mmCIF file of all heavy atoms in Angstrom:
data_model
loop_
_atom_site.group_PDB
_atom_site.id
_atom_site.type_symbol
_atom_site.label_atom_id
_atom_site.label_comp_id
_atom_site.label_asym_id
_atom_site.label_seq_id
_atom_site.Cartn_x
_atom_site.Cartn_y
_atom_site.Cartn_z
ATOM 1 N N SER A 9 35.764 -6.476 46.861
ATOM 2 C CA SER A 9 35.718 -7.929 46.878
ATOM 3 C C SER A 9 37.139 -8.471 46.819
ATOM 4 O O SER A 9 38.085 -7.735 46.529
ATOM 5 C CB SER A 9 34.881 -8.474 45.713
ATOM 6 O OG SER A 9 35.455 -8.119 44.469
ATOM 7 N N ARG A 10 37.278 -9.750 47.107
ATOM 8 C CA ARG A 10 38.602 -10.362 47.068
ATOM 9 C C ARG A 10 38.519 -11.752 46.473
ATOM 10 O O ARG A 10 37.489 -12.425 46.545
ATOM 11 C CB ARG A 10 39.215 -10.415 48.477
ATOM 12 C CG ARG A 10 38.507 -11.377 49.435
ATOM 13 C CD ARG A 10 38.990 -11.187 50.867
ATOM 14 N NE ARG A 10 40.409 -11.458 51.017
ATOM 15 C CZ ARG A 10 41.149 -11.045 52.043
ATOM 16 N NH1 ARG A 10 40.588 -10.325 53.015
ATOM 17 N NH2 ARG A 10 42.442 -11.343 52.097
ATOM 18 N N ASP A 11 39.618 -12.173 45.887
ATOM 19 C CA ASP A 11 39.760 -13.521 45.353
ATOM 20 C C ASP A 11 41.104 -14.029 45.842
ATOM 21 O O ASP A 11 42.145 -13.742 45.250
ATOM 22 C CB ASP A 11 39.686 -13.520 43.828
ATOM 23 C CG ASP A 11 39.649 -14.918 43.240
ATOM 24 O OD1 ASP A 11 40.065 -15.876 43.921
ATOM 25 O OD2 ASP A 11 39.205 -15.064 42.085
ATOM 26 N N ASN A 12 41.079 -14.764 46.938
ATOM 27 C CA ASN A 12 42.328 -15.228 47.536
ATOM 28 C C ASN A 12 43.097 -16.171 46.613
ATOM 29 O O ASN A 12 44.327 -16.208 46.658
ATOM 30 C CB ASN A 12 42.049 -15.915 48.872
ATOM 31 C CG ASN A 12 41.655 -14.936 49.959
ATOM 32 O OD1 ASN A 12 41.953 -13.747 49.878
ATOM 33 N ND2 ASN A 12 40.990 -15.431 50.996
ATOM 34 N N ALA A 13 42.383 -16.923 45.793
ATOM 35 C CA ALA A 13 43.054 -17.819 44.859
ATOM 36 C C ALA A 13 43.910 -17.055 43.862
ATOM 37 O O ALA A 13 44.904 -17.582 43.361
ATOM 38 C CB ALA A 13 42.037 -18.683 44.128
ATOM 39 N N LYS A 14 43.521 -15.815 43.560
ATOM 40 C CA LYS A 14 44.274 -14.969 42.643
ATOM 41 C C LYS A 14 45.124 -13.935 43.372
ATOM 42 O O LYS A 14 45.762 -13.098 42.727
ATOM 43 C CB LYS A 14 43.329 -14.260 41.679
ATOM 44 C CG LYS A 14 42.558 -15.198 40.767
ATOM 45 C CD LYS A 14 41.658 -14.423 39.815
ATOM 46 C CE LYS A 14 40.905 -15.358 38.883
ATOM 47 N NZ LYS A 14 40.005 -14.612 37.964
ATOM 48 N N ASN A 15 45.111 -13.978 44.702
ATOM 49 C CA ASN A 15 45.860 -13.021 45.521
ATOM 50 C C ASN A 15 45.535 -11.582 45.129
ATOM 51 O O ASN A 15 46.423 -10.730 45.018
ATOM 52 C CB ASN A 15 47.366 -13.277 45.409
ATOM 53 C CG ASN A 15 47.776 -14.596 46.016
ATOM 54 O OD1 ASN A 15 47.264 -14.995 47.060
ATOM 55 N ND2 ASN A 15 48.707 -15.283 45.372
ATOM 56 N N THR A 16 44.251 -11.310 44.950
ATOM 57 C CA THR A 16 43.814 -10.027 44.412
ATOM 58 C C THR A 16 42.605 -9.498 45.178
ATOM 59 O O THR A 16 41.710 -10.264 45.548
ATOM 60 C CB THR A 16 43.458 -10.152 42.927
ATOM 61 O OG1 THR A 16 44.597 -10.621 42.198
ATOM 62 C CG2 THR A 16 43.031 -8.808 42.352
ATOM 63 N N VAL A 17 42.591 -8.193 45.403
ATOM 64 C CA VAL A 17 41.429 -7.496 45.928
ATOM 65 C C VAL A 17 40.973 -6.495 44.869
ATOM 66 O O VAL A 17 41.803 -5.882 44.188
ATOM 67 C CB VAL A 17 41.722 -6.806 47.272
ATOM 68 C CG1 VAL A 17 42.834 -5.770 47.138
ATOM 69 C CG2 VAL A 17 40.460 -6.175 47.846
ATOM 70 N N TYR A 18 39.656 -6.340 44.720
ATOM 71 C CA TYR A 18 39.085 -5.493 43.688
ATOM 72 C C TYR A 18 38.278 -4.361 44.308
ATOM 73 O O TYR A 18 37.760 -4.470 45.416
ATOM 74 C CB TYR A 18 38.155 -6.295 42.777
ATOM 75 C CG TYR A 18 38.794 -7.489 42.122
ATOM 76 C CD1 TYR A 18 38.652 -8.758 42.671
ATOM 77 C CD2 TYR A 18 39.545 -7.353 40.956
ATOM 78 C CE1 TYR A 18 39.229 -9.862 42.075
ATOM 79 C CE2 TYR A 18 40.125 -8.454 40.358
ATOM 80 C CZ TYR A 18 39.968 -9.707 40.918
ATOM 81 O OH TYR A 18 40.550 -10.799 40.317
ATOM 82 N N LEU A 19 38.149 -3.280 43.559
ATOM 83 C CA LEU A 19 37.232 -2.204 43.890
ATOM 84 C C LEU A 19 36.440 -1.870 42.637
ATOM 85 O O LEU A 19 36.974 -1.269 41.701
ATOM 86 C CB LEU A 19 37.968 -0.964 44.403
ATOM 87 C CG LEU A 19 37.070 0.180 44.883
ATOM 88 C CD1 LEU A 19 36.316 -0.235 46.151
ATOM 89 C CD2 LEU A 19 37.874 1.449 45.127
ATOM 90 N N GLN A 20 35.185 -2.293 42.617
ATOM 91 C CA GLN A 20 34.287 -1.967 41.520
ATOM 92 C C GLN A 20 33.672 -0.604 41.795
ATOM 93 O O GLN A 20 33.035 -0.406 42.831
ATOM 94 C CB GLN A 20 33.197 -3.027 41.387
ATOM 95 C CG GLN A 20 32.162 -2.744 40.302
ATOM 96 C CD GLN A 20 32.743 -2.810 38.910
ATOM 97 O OE1 GLN A 20 33.510 -3.709 38.601
ATOM 98 N NE2 GLN A 20 32.375 -1.852 38.068
ATOM 99 N N MET A 21 33.853 0.328 40.873
ATOM 100 C CA MET A 21 33.389 1.696 41.037
ATOM 101 C C MET A 21 32.352 1.998 39.954
ATOM 102 O O MET A 21 32.674 2.001 38.765
ATOM 103 C CB MET A 21 34.551 2.684 40.964
ATOM 104 C CG MET A 21 35.668 2.396 41.963
ATOM 105 S SD MET A 21 36.976 3.651 41.937
ATOM 106 C CE MET A 21 37.614 3.404 40.280
ATOM 107 N N ASP A 22 31.131 2.242 40.378
ATOM 108 C CA ASP A 22 30.034 2.556 39.476
ATOM 109 C C ASP A 22 29.526 3.967 39.758
ATOM 110 O O ASP A 22 29.772 4.534 40.818
ATOM 111 C CB ASP A 22 28.886 1.560 39.641
ATOM 112 C CG ASP A 22 29.278 0.133 39.306
ATOM 113 O OD1 ASP A 22 30.029 -0.068 38.337
ATOM 114 O OD2 ASP A 22 28.814 -0.790 40.017
ATOM 115 N N SER A 23 28.795 4.518 38.807
ATOM 116 C CA SER A 23 28.217 5.858 38.939
ATOM 117 C C SER A 23 29.259 6.872 39.378
ATOM 118 O O SER A 23 29.048 7.666 40.301
ATOM 119 C CB SER A 23 27.044 5.833 39.932
ATOM 120 O OG SER A 23 26.045 4.932 39.515
ATOM 121 N N LEU A 24 30.379 6.859 38.711
ATOM 122 C CA LEU A 24 31.501 7.705 39.107
ATOM 123 C C LEU A 24 31.174 9.183 38.942
ATOM 124 O O LEU A 24 30.482 9.583 38.005
ATOM 125 C CB LEU A 24 32.742 7.340 38.304
ATOM 126 C CG LEU A 24 33.437 6.054 38.773
ATOM 127 C CD1 LEU A 24 34.383 5.530 37.704
ATOM 128 C CD2 LEU A 24 34.201 6.318 40.066
ATOM 129 N N LYS A 25 31.698 9.970 39.867
ATOM 130 C CA LYS A 25 31.510 11.408 39.900
ATOM 131 C C LYS A 25 32.855 12.104 39.775
ATOM 132 O O LYS A 25 33.890 11.532 40.119
ATOM 133 C CB LYS A 25 30.842 11.828 41.215
ATOM 134 C CG LYS A 25 29.529 11.127 41.517
ATOM 135 C CD LYS A 25 29.026 11.514 42.897
ATOM 136 C CE LYS A 25 27.721 10.825 43.225
ATOM 137 N NZ LYS A 25 27.237 11.184 44.582
ATOM 138 N N PRO A 26 32.871 13.356 39.312
ATOM 139 C CA PRO A 26 34.145 14.076 39.235
ATOM 140 C C PRO A 26 34.891 14.124 40.564
ATOM 141 O O PRO A 26 36.127 14.090 40.570
ATOM 142 C CB PRO A 26 33.728 15.477 38.776
ATOM 143 C CG PRO A 26 32.497 15.237 37.975
ATOM 144 C CD PRO A 26 31.774 14.118 38.686
ATOM 145 N N GLU A 27 34.178 14.181 41.675
ATOM 146 C CA GLU A 27 34.819 14.227 42.980
ATOM 147 C C GLU A 27 35.473 12.909 43.381
ATOM 148 O O GLU A 27 36.159 12.840 44.406
ATOM 149 C CB GLU A 27 33.835 14.670 44.070
ATOM 150 C CG GLU A 27 32.531 13.901 44.072
ATOM 151 C CD GLU A 27 31.420 14.632 43.341
ATOM 152 O OE1 GLU A 27 31.675 15.158 42.245
ATOM 153 O OE2 GLU A 27 30.288 14.686 43.879
ATOM 154 N N ASP A 28 35.277 11.852 42.593
ATOM 155 C CA ASP A 28 35.983 10.597 42.813
ATOM 156 C C ASP A 28 37.394 10.628 42.231
ATOM 157 O O ASP A 28 38.159 9.679 42.443
ATOM 158 C CB ASP A 28 35.217 9.428 42.199
ATOM 159 C CG ASP A 28 33.876 9.179 42.873
ATOM 160 O OD1 ASP A 28 33.808 9.253 44.117
ATOM 161 O OD2 ASP A 28 32.902 8.905 42.153
ATOM 162 N N THR A 29 37.730 11.667 41.503
ATOM 163 C CA THR A 29 39.056 11.780 40.909
ATOM 164 C C THR A 29 40.122 11.794 41.997
ATOM 165 O O THR A 29 40.080 12.621 42.912
ATOM 166 C CB THR A 29 39.160 13.048 40.062
ATOM 167 O OG1 THR A 29 38.249 12.960 38.957
ATOM 168 C CG2 THR A 29 40.569 13.233 39.525
ATOM 169 N N ALA A 30 41.068 10.876 41.912
ATOM 170 C CA ALA A 30 42.103 10.750 42.930
ATOM 171 C C ALA A 30 43.078 9.657 42.515
ATOM 172 O O ALA A 30 42.812 8.884 41.589
ATOM 173 C CB ALA A 30 41.501 10.403 44.298
ATOM 174 N N VAL A 31 44.196 9.596 43.225
ATOM 175 C CA VAL A 31 45.062 8.436 43.163
ATOM 176 C C VAL A 31 44.549 7.431 44.178
ATOM 177 O O VAL A 31 44.367 7.767 45.354
ATOM 178 C CB VAL A 31 46.527 8.795 43.449
ATOM 179 C CG1 VAL A 31 47.398 7.543 43.445
ATOM 180 C CG2 VAL A 31 47.047 9.787 42.411
ATOM 181 N N TYR A 32 44.308 6.216 43.741
ATOM 182 C CA TYR A 32 43.770 5.171 44.593
ATOM 183 C C TYR A 32 44.878 4.196 44.978
ATOM 184 O O TYR A 32 45.644 3.730 44.122
ATOM 185 C CB TYR A 32 42.641 4.423 43.882
ATOM 186 C CG TYR A 32 41.350 5.201 43.835
ATOM 187 C CD1 TYR A 32 41.221 6.316 43.016
ATOM 188 C CD2 TYR A 32 40.256 4.827 44.619
ATOM 189 C CE1 TYR A 32 40.045 7.046 42.986
ATOM 190 C CE2 TYR A 32 39.078 5.547 44.590
ATOM 191 C CZ TYR A 32 38.973 6.661 43.771
ATOM 192 O OH TYR A 32 37.801 7.375 43.741
ATOM 193 N N TYR A 33 44.953 3.893 46.261
ATOM 194 C CA TYR A 33 45.960 3.004 46.812
ATOM 195 C C TYR A 33 45.300 1.819 47.495
ATOM 196 O O TYR A 33 44.249 1.964 48.118
ATOM 197 C CB TYR A 33 46.824 3.724 47.857
ATOM 198 C CG TYR A 33 47.525 4.965 47.377
ATOM 199 C CD1 TYR A 33 46.906 6.202 47.443
ATOM 200 C CD2 TYR A 33 48.821 4.897 46.875
ATOM 201 C CE1 TYR A 33 47.550 7.350 47.018
ATOM 202 C CE2 TYR A 33 49.477 6.037 46.451
ATOM 203 C CZ TYR A 33 48.839 7.263 46.523
ATOM 204 O OH TYR A 33 49.486 8.402 46.103
ATOM 205 N N CYS A 34 45.933 0.664 47.421
ATOM 206 C CA CYS A 34 45.513 -0.451 48.246
ATOM 207 C C CYS A 34 46.536 -0.662 49.350
ATOM 208 O O CYS A 34 47.706 -0.299 49.223
ATOM 209 C CB CYS A 34 45.306 -1.732 47.434
ATOM 210 S SG CYS A 34 46.785 -2.417 46.658
ATOM 211 N N ALA A 35 46.075 -1.237 50.446
ATOM 212 C CA ALA A 35 46.924 -1.461 51.604
ATOM 213 C C ALA A 35 46.490 -2.735 52.300
ATOM 214 O O ALA A 35 45.344 -3.183 52.160
ATOM 215 C CB ALA A 35 46.852 -0.274 52.567
ATOM 216 N N ALA A 36 47.405 -3.311 53.083
ATOM 217 C CA ALA A 36 47.135 -4.601 53.693
ATOM 218 C C ALA A 36 47.837 -4.736 55.031
ATOM 219 O O ALA A 36 48.868 -4.109 55.282
ATOM 220 C CB ALA A 36 47.585 -5.736 52.766
ATOM 221 N N SER A 37 47.262 -5.578 55.871
ATOM 222 C CA SER A 37 47.876 -5.951 57.135
ATOM 223 C C SER A 37 47.553 -7.395 57.441
ATOM 224 O O SER A 37 46.396 -7.816 57.305
ATOM 225 C CB SER A 37 47.389 -5.058 58.270
ATOM 226 O OG SER A 37 47.914 -5.498 59.511
ATOM 227 N N LEU A 38 48.550 -8.132 57.865
ATOM 228 C CA LEU A 38 48.332 -9.510 58.282
ATOM 229 C C LEU A 38 47.659 -9.579 59.643
ATOM 230 O O LEU A 38 46.996 -10.568 59.958
ATOM 231 C CB LEU A 38 49.661 -10.269 58.297
ATOM 232 C CG LEU A 38 49.603 -11.781 58.550
ATOM 233 C CD1 LEU A 38 48.768 -12.481 57.491
ATOM 234 C CD2 LEU A 38 51.022 -12.345 58.583
ATOM 235 N N LYS A 39 47.828 -8.544 60.442
ATOM 236 C CA LYS A 39 47.242 -8.499 61.771
ATOM 237 C C LYS A 39 45.855 -7.893 61.704
ATOM 238 O O LYS A 39 45.682 -6.745 61.295
ATOM 239 C CB LYS A 39 48.122 -7.691 62.728
ATOM 240 C CG LYS A 39 47.612 -7.670 64.152
ATOM 241 C CD LYS A 39 48.551 -6.911 65.066
ATOM 242 C CE LYS A 39 48.046 -6.885 66.498
ATOM 243 N NZ LYS A 39 48.974 -6.145 67.386
ATOM 244 N N ASP A 40 44.855 -8.658 62.119
ATOM 245 C CA ASP A 40 43.489 -8.157 62.157
ATOM 246 C C ASP A 40 43.355 -7.060 63.200
ATOM 247 O O ASP A 40 43.897 -7.154 64.308
ATOM 248 C CB ASP A 40 42.511 -9.289 62.470
ATOM 249 C CG ASP A 40 42.347 -10.267 61.330
ATOM 250 O OD1 ASP A 40 42.816 -9.976 60.215
ATOM 251 O OD2 ASP A 40 41.746 -11.334 61.556
ATOM 252 N N TYR A 41 42.604 -6.016 62.850
ATOM 253 C CA TYR A 41 42.377 -4.903 63.754
ATOM 254 C C TYR A 41 40.897 -4.584 63.887
ATOM 255 O O TYR A 41 40.478 -4.033 64.905
ATOM 256 C CB TYR A 41 43.130 -3.667 63.272
ATOM 257 C CG TYR A 41 43.170 -2.541 64.268
ATOM 258 C CD1 TYR A 41 44.024 -2.582 65.358
ATOM 259 C CD2 TYR A 41 42.343 -1.427 64.121
ATOM 260 C CE1 TYR A 41 44.059 -1.552 66.272
ATOM 261 C CE2 TYR A 41 42.376 -0.387 65.030
ATOM 262 C CZ TYR A 41 43.239 -0.452 66.104
ATOM 263 O OH TYR A 41 43.274 0.580 67.010
ATOM 264 N N GLY A 42 40.125 -4.912 62.890
ATOM 265 C CA GLY A 42 38.701 -4.599 62.873
ATOM 266 C C GLY A 42 38.407 -3.488 61.890
ATOM 267 O O GLY A 42 39.203 -2.559 61.725
ATOM 268 N N LEU A 43 37.255 -3.565 61.257
ATOM 269 C CA LEU A 43 36.923 -2.657 60.160
ATOM 270 C C LEU A 43 36.191 -1.416 60.660
ATOM 271 O O LEU A 43 35.044 -1.149 60.283
ATOM 272 C CB LEU A 43 36.105 -3.387 59.099
ATOM 273 C CG LEU A 43 36.745 -4.647 58.518
ATOM 274 C CD1 LEU A 43 35.923 -5.158 57.347
ATOM 275 C CD2 LEU A 43 38.182 -4.392 58.086
ATOM 276 N N GLY A 44 36.853 -0.653 61.499
ATOM 277 C CA GLY A 44 36.347 0.629 61.948
ATOM 278 C C GLY A 44 37.098 1.771 61.305
ATOM 279 O O GLY A 44 37.875 1.595 60.358
ATOM 280 N N TYR A 45 36.881 2.981 61.835
ATOM 281 C CA TYR A 45 37.485 4.162 61.226
ATOM 282 C C TYR A 45 39.010 4.121 61.275
ATOM 283 O O TYR A 45 39.677 4.488 60.305
ATOM 284 C CB TYR A 45 36.996 5.440 61.907
ATOM 285 C CG TYR A 45 37.765 6.653 61.450
ATOM 286 C CD1 TYR A 45 37.487 7.246 60.214
ATOM 287 C CD2 TYR A 45 38.793 7.190 62.219
ATOM 288 C CE1 TYR A 45 38.206 8.339 59.772
ATOM 289 C CE2 TYR A 45 39.515 8.288 61.785
ATOM 290 C CZ TYR A 45 39.221 8.859 60.559
ATOM 291 O OH TYR A 45 39.946 9.943 60.117
ATOM 292 N N LEU A 46 39.593 3.710 62.397
ATOM 293 C CA LEU A 46 41.044 3.766 62.529
ATOM 294 C C LEU A 46 41.735 2.929 61.459
ATOM 295 O O LEU A 46 42.718 3.359 60.856
ATOM 296 C CB LEU A 46 41.478 3.320 63.920
ATOM 297 C CG LEU A 46 41.213 4.314 65.048
ATOM 298 C CD1 LEU A 46 41.608 3.708 66.388
ATOM 299 C CD2 LEU A 46 41.981 5.603 64.811
ATOM 300 N N ARG A 47 41.240 1.734 61.221
ATOM 301 C CA ARG A 47 41.837 0.884 60.213
ATOM 302 C C ARG A 47 41.441 1.312 58.802
ATOM 303 O O ARG A 47 42.301 1.472 57.926
ATOM 304 C CB ARG A 47 41.441 -0.579 60.477
ATOM 305 C CG ARG A 47 41.764 -1.604 59.371
ATOM 306 C CD ARG A 47 43.225 -1.610 58.926
ATOM 307 N NE ARG A 47 44.185 -1.887 59.985
ATOM 308 C CZ ARG A 47 44.621 -3.103 60.326
ATOM 309 N NH1 ARG A 47 44.173 -4.184 59.685
ATOM 310 N NH2 ARG A 47 45.514 -3.240 61.299
ATOM 311 N N CYS A 48 40.165 1.518 58.566
ATOM 312 C CA CYS A 48 39.664 1.698 57.212
ATOM 313 C C CYS A 48 39.564 3.151 56.769
ATOM 314 O O CYS A 48 39.669 3.442 55.570
ATOM 315 C CB CYS A 48 38.297 1.029 57.072
ATOM 316 S SG CYS A 48 38.317 -0.748 57.390
ATOM 317 N N GLY A 49 39.337 4.064 57.690
ATOM 318 C CA GLY A 49 39.278 5.470 57.341
ATOM 319 C C GLY A 49 40.616 6.164 57.443
ATOM 320 O O GLY A 49 40.941 7.028 56.621
ATOM 321 N N TYR A 50 41.412 5.779 58.442
ATOM 322 C CA TYR A 50 42.710 6.396 58.682
ATOM 323 C C TYR A 50 43.869 5.573 58.140
ATOM 324 O O TYR A 50 44.879 6.134 57.702
ATOM 325 C CB TYR A 50 42.896 6.624 60.185
ATOM 326 C CG TYR A 50 44.215 7.236 60.557
ATOM 327 C CD1 TYR A 50 44.452 8.590 60.374
ATOM 328 C CD2 TYR A 50 45.228 6.451 61.104
ATOM 329 C CE1 TYR A 50 45.667 9.155 60.717
ATOM 330 C CE2 TYR A 50 46.448 7.007 61.454
ATOM 331 C CZ TYR A 50 46.661 8.352 61.265
ATOM 332 O OH TYR A 50 47.874 8.909 61.617
ATOM 333 N N GLY A 51 43.758 4.262 58.164
ATOM 334 C CA GLY A 51 44.817 3.388 57.696
ATOM 335 C C GLY A 51 45.747 2.903 58.780
ATOM 336 O O GLY A 51 46.860 2.470 58.480
ATOM 337 N N TYR A 52 45.291 2.957 60.024
ATOM 338 C CA TYR A 52 46.140 2.553 61.138
ATOM 339 C C TYR A 52 46.569 1.100 61.012
ATOM 340 O O TYR A 52 45.752 0.208 60.800
ATOM 341 C CB TYR A 52 45.406 2.746 62.465
ATOM 342 C CG TYR A 52 46.196 2.301 63.667
ATOM 343 C CD1 TYR A 52 47.157 3.137 64.231
ATOM 344 C CD2 TYR A 52 45.995 1.051 64.231
ATOM 345 C CE1 TYR A 52 47.887 2.724 65.329
ATOM 346 C CE2 TYR A 52 46.729 0.642 65.332
ATOM 347 C CZ TYR A 52 47.673 1.480 65.876
ATOM 348 O OH TYR A 52 48.410 1.076 66.965
ATOM 349 N N GLY A 53 47.868 0.872 61.143
ATOM 350 C CA GLY A 53 48.404 -0.471 61.177
ATOM 351 C C GLY A 53 48.517 -1.170 59.844
ATOM 352 O O GLY A 53 48.923 -2.334 59.803
ATOM 353 N N LEU A 54 48.161 -0.501 58.756
ATOM 354 C CA LEU A 54 48.316 -1.084 57.429
ATOM 355 C C LEU A 54 49.761 -0.861 56.978
ATOM 356 O O LEU A 54 50.137 0.258 56.619
ATOM 357 C CB LEU A 54 47.328 -0.479 56.447
ATOM 358 C CG LEU A 54 45.860 -0.779 56.754
ATOM 359 C CD1 LEU A 54 44.934 0.101 55.919
ATOM 360 C CD2 LEU A 54 45.552 -2.250 56.500
ATOM 361 N N ASP A 55 50.552 -1.903 57.025
ATOM 362 C CA ASP A 55 51.991 -1.761 56.852
ATOM 363 C C ASP A 55 52.488 -2.060 55.441
ATOM 364 O O ASP A 55 53.692 -1.979 55.190
ATOM 365 C CB ASP A 55 52.743 -2.628 57.863
ATOM 366 C CG ASP A 55 52.241 -4.060 57.908
ATOM 367 O OD1 ASP A 55 51.461 -4.468 57.015
ATOM 368 O OD2 ASP A 55 52.630 -4.786 58.846
ATOM 369 N N SER A 56 51.604 -2.401 54.532
ATOM 370 C CA SER A 56 51.971 -2.631 53.142
ATOM 371 C C SER A 56 51.089 -1.781 52.248
ATOM 372 O O SER A 56 49.866 -1.843 52.351
ATOM 373 C CB SER A 56 51.821 -4.108 52.767
ATOM 374 O OG SER A 56 52.683 -4.923 53.552
#
């Protein structure tokens, strides 16, 4: 979810499993690309 007024994006994680253990990163792009694998699975074009 996001709250633009707070300039913040959230990730609510429930029912966590040991395999969820990882370093979690957020990323952003001002240029829209579409929410497919290249952008969201691979991170293409996310420059921040």
Side-chain angles (χ1 to χ4, degrees):
S9 62
R10 68 191 298 162
D11 188 339
N12 288 338
K14 297 181 179 179
N15 293 321
T16 301
V17 60
Y18 304 97
L19 185 67
Q20 177 67 43
M21 304 184 295
D22 298 321
S23 301
L24 283 163
K25 305 174 180 179
E27 50 263 45
D28 295 319
T29 296
V31 177
Y32 284 71
Y33 303 88
C34 65
S37 175
L38 187 60
K39 183 177 180 180
D40 289 349
Y41 191 77
L43 304 188
Y45 171 78
L46 286 176
R47 169 54 59 90
C48 300
Y50 179 77
Y52 178 82
L54 295 168
D55 49 12
S56 298

